[in-house]
C-alpha cells in the first residue's frame, strides 16, 4: 500500500504537468493547445481514480487472504489467487500507460500537449515545455519497471515462508466473490476507458470550453 501511495505522487505530478502546460498555452494566447492540456489532466485524474482503486483493492485482497503486508514475504500468489493476480495485472498495465488501457490515453494526450510547444513565440518557454515530455517518458519507464518487479515478486516468484505474520493466518485463498466483483468492475472500466475514450473526451471538452473559452476541434 505504501508503494501504491508513492505512485500516487507520480500520477499527481502528471496531472499537474498537464494543468501547468494548459496554463502556459492559454497565457501565451493559444487556448486550443491549452484545452488539450486541461483535458489531458482531467482525463488522467479520472483514470488514476480507476486504476489506482483497482490496485488498492488487489492489495487489500492479498492482505485479507494471506495476512501479509511485506512484499518480500510474498511469492507465487498467482497459483493461490489467480483472479486477484489477473485483475492486479490489468491495474499494473494501466498505471504503466500501456495500450489499450486507460492510462495510455491520458498520458498520450499529455505528450501531445507538450508537442504543441512549437506554437509558442517565447524561445525559452518553447524549449522548456519539451523537457516536461522527457520527464513524463522517464516517469513512465520507471513505473513500468517498478510494477514488473512488484508483480514478479508477489505473484510469479517462489513463495517465501512469511516471517511477519502469526501462525495460522496465512491460508492463501483467493478473494471472495464480492471482492472479485469490485476488482472486475474497475478492470473492465480500465479497458473501456482505453478503447472508447471519445465519450469521456467529449464531456471534458465542454469543461475546457467553459474554463478557457475554446475547446478541441471535432
Amino acid at each position: 500500500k505504501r508503494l501504491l501511495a508513492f505512485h500516487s505522487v507520480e500520477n499527481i505530478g502528471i496531472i499537474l504537468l498537464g494543468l501547468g502546460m494548459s496554463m502556459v498555452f492559454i497565457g501565451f494566447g493559444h487556448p486550443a493547445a491549452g484545452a488539450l492540456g486541461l483535458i489531458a489532466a482531467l482525463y488522467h485524474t479520472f483514470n488514476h481514480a480507476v486504476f489506482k482503486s483497482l490496485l488498492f483493492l488487489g492489495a487489500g485482497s492479498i492482505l485479507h487472504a494471506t495476512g501479509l503486508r511485506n512484499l518480500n514475504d510474498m511469492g507465487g500468489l498467482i497459483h493461490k489467487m489467480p483472479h486477484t493476480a489477473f485483475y492486479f495485472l490489468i491495474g499494473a498495465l494501466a498505471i504503466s500507460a500501456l495500450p489499450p488501457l486507460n492510462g495510455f490515453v491520458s498520458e498520450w494526450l499529455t505528450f501531445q500537449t507538450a508537442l504543441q510547444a512549437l506554437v509558442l513565440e517565447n524561445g525559452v518557454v518553447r524549449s522548456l515545455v519539451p523537457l516536461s515530455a522527457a520527464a513524463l517518458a522517464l516517469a513512465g519507464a520507471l513505473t513500468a519497471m517498478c510494477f514488473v518487479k512488484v508483480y514478479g515478486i508477489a505473484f510469479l516468484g517462489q513463495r517465501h515462508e512469511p516471517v511477519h505474520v502469526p501462525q495460522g493466518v496465512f491460508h492463501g485463498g483467493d478473494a471472495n466473490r464480492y471482492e472479485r466483483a469490485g476488482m472486475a468492475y474497475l478492470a473492465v472500466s480500465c479497458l473501456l476507458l482505453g478503447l472508447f475514450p471519445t465519450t469521456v473526451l467529449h464531456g471534458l471538452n465542454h469543461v475546457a470550453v467553459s474554463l478557457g473559452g475554446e475547446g478541441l476541434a471535432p
Side-chain angles (χ1 to χ4, degrees), residues 86-112:
F86 175 71
Y87 296 134
F88 196 93
L89 177 62
I90 293 178
L93 294 175
I95 197 173
S96 299
L98 295 178
L101 299 171
N102 57 343
F104 168 77
V105 177
S106 51
E107 290 200 22
W108 182 81
L109 290 173
T110 307
F111 274 117
Q112 291 298 311

Side-chain angles (χ1 to χ4, degrees), residues 197-214:
T198 51
T199 301
V200 180
L201 292 177
H202 182 71
L204 295 178
N205 199 40
H206 291 301
V207 178
V209 172
S210 65
L211 290 178
E214 186 171 340

Side-chain angles (χ1 to χ4, degrees), residues 43 47 90 93-94 97-106 187-197:
Y43 203 172
N47 287 338
I90 293 178
L93 294 175
L98 295 178
L101 299 171
N102 57 343
F104 168 77
V105 177
S106 51
V188 171
S189 298
C190 286
L191 184 61
L192 293 179
L193 288 169
L195 291 176
F196 307 104

Side-chain angles (χ1 to χ4, degrees), residues 114-131:
L115 293 177
Q116 306 305 311
L118 295 177
V119 303
L120 295 171
E121 293 79 15
N122 188 299
V124 176
V125 178
R126 187 170 62 243
S127 62
L128 288 177
V129 170
L131 293 179

Side-chain angles (χ1 to χ4, degrees), residues 71-94:
L71 185 65
N72 294 321
D73 290 338
M74 302 174 191
L77 292 179
I78 193 171
H79 303 295
K80 296 292 186 179
M81 307 182 69
H83 293 95
T84 302
F86 175 71
Y87 296 134
F88 196 93
L89 177 62
I90 293 178
L93 294 175

